[in-house]
Amino acid sequence: MPDSPLDQIKAFADPDRATQMAAYHKVDRPYLGVPNPVLNDLTKSWRQQLDVDARVALADQLWQTNIHEARLAAAKLLTQARIRPDQAVWDLLQSWLPDFDAWAVADHASMAMQKRLWAAPSRLDQVETWTTSDHMWTRRAALVATLPWTKQNHPKPEDLEHRDRILGWAAGYVPDRDWFIQKAVAWWLRDLSKHDPDRVRAFLAAHGDAMKPFARKEAGKYLKDQSE
């Protein structure tokens, strides 16, 4: 690469956009003002040029800069369905959890985690430990990273077991009044309702009254078309 990956990102910096992004995300870190489509193109190019070990090393370097766009690029670099071997990728993604402090960065990293969890569902044992973390963003990641289990219309028996396990985590989150946690519970249920409305109805019958009103409404958003 003629320029370092970070220099390639910085080449698209937009100071005015960066100021707007800083105000929008409300987290004190450097912003460059580089839009997502640019990051998508750059990280796609890097994936094509680098083997897995080099991608992991680059993602780690980009993450450690604490620059908003560099952290997004780090996550995008590791968001791929087929990565073999992938243990180093999973280990790096988990190491980022304590750094989660904003939804955009956390969600990009969680999307990379989704791919690794779907590739190796046994990792859900590790994810379960996140649910009792003192760190809100780590607890939230347990639901965002497991969203693939909301999406099957005809799940295998083992996937139904995983679905019910994760719903158990969500039930444990209901007493948590944090807005982001309530939103994550609602997100999981809303997505699941498109494919498994009966499970969502059962969850809401058991726990809906204890959820914050906005979360209960969001969770049932798509049930109204099914005569809920």
Side-chain angles (χ1 to χ4, degrees):
M1 300 179 194
D3 297 316
S4 75
L6 184 57
D7 286 340
Q8 293 178 50
I9 296 173
K10 288 181 175 179
F12 294 93
D14 180 338
D16 290 340
R17 181 183 174 90
T19 299
Q20 295 172 7
M21 290 174 64
Y24 176 71
H25 290 289
K26 298 182 175 66
V27 175
D28 184 17
R29 65 163 38 92
Y31 295 85
L32 300 175
V34 179
N36 259 316
V38 171
L39 299 177
N40 291 339
D41 290 344
L42 287 173
T43 53
K44 180 180 179 181
S45 172
W46 300 338
R47 278 198 302 270
Q48 293 171 345
Q49 297 174 51
L50 302 172
D51 62 20
V52 173
D53 288 343
R55 273 180 267 162
V56 169
L58 174 55
D60 188 28
Q61 292 169 11
L62 290 170
W63 186 270
Q64 297 306 326
T65 67
N66 194 36
I67 297 170
H68 176 81
E69 289 85 352
R71 287 197 163 182
L72 297 191
K76 290 174 183 292
L77 187 59
L78 301 182
T79 303
Q80 189 175 355
R82 293 174 64 87
I83 302 178
R84 295 179 182 172
D86 73 346
Q87 187 60 43
V89 174
W90 175 243
D91 290 344
L92 180 60
L93 291 169
Q94 284 198 95
S95 77
W96 293 347
L97 283 166
D99 296 332
F100 287 7
D101 57 3
W103 66 266
V105 171
D107 286 0
H108 274 80
S110 293
M111 283 187 279
M113 291 171 171
Q114 289 174 15
K115 305 294 187 184
R116 306 283 49 84
L117 288 169
W118 192 250
S122 62
R123 290 170 174 152
L124 288 172
D125 289 345
Q126 293 167 275
V127 177
E128 186 161 19
T129 68
W130 306 355
T131 65
T132 55
S133 171
D134 292 335
H135 183 228
M136 180 276 288
W137 293 102
T138 296
R139 297 196 305 275
R140 177 181 178 273
L143 293 185
V144 183
T146 55
L147 282 168
W149 278 280
T150 67
K151 301 184 186 306
Q152 304 85 39
N153 285 320
H154 305 288
K156 299 174 183 177
E158 58 267 31
D159 288 322
L160 283 177
E161 291 178 10
H162 299 325
R163 184 175 286 178
D164 286 334
R165 181 183 190 181
I166 299 160
L167 282 170
W169 304 345
Y173 285 179
V174 167
D176 191 324
R177 299 290 89 186
D178 187 282
W179 187 91
F180 283 104
I181 294 295
Q182 291 281 316
K183 180 71 173 179
V185 172
W187 184 1
W188 219 92
L189 294 171
R190 182 195 67 202
D191 282 10
L192 180 61
S193 72
K194 300 175 188 177
H195 307 279
D196 194 347
D198 289 344
R199 269 183 168 77
V200 176
R201 289 193 178 97
F203 185 100
L204 292 175
H207 306 288
D209 289 346
M211 296 170 67
K212 282 195 171 185
F214 87 87
R216 169 65 181 82
K217 182 178 180 180
E218 178 76 7
K221 179 178 181 180
Y222 297 113
L223 294 177
K224 295 170 184 170
D225 295 333
Q226 300 167 51
S227 303
E228 166 105 336

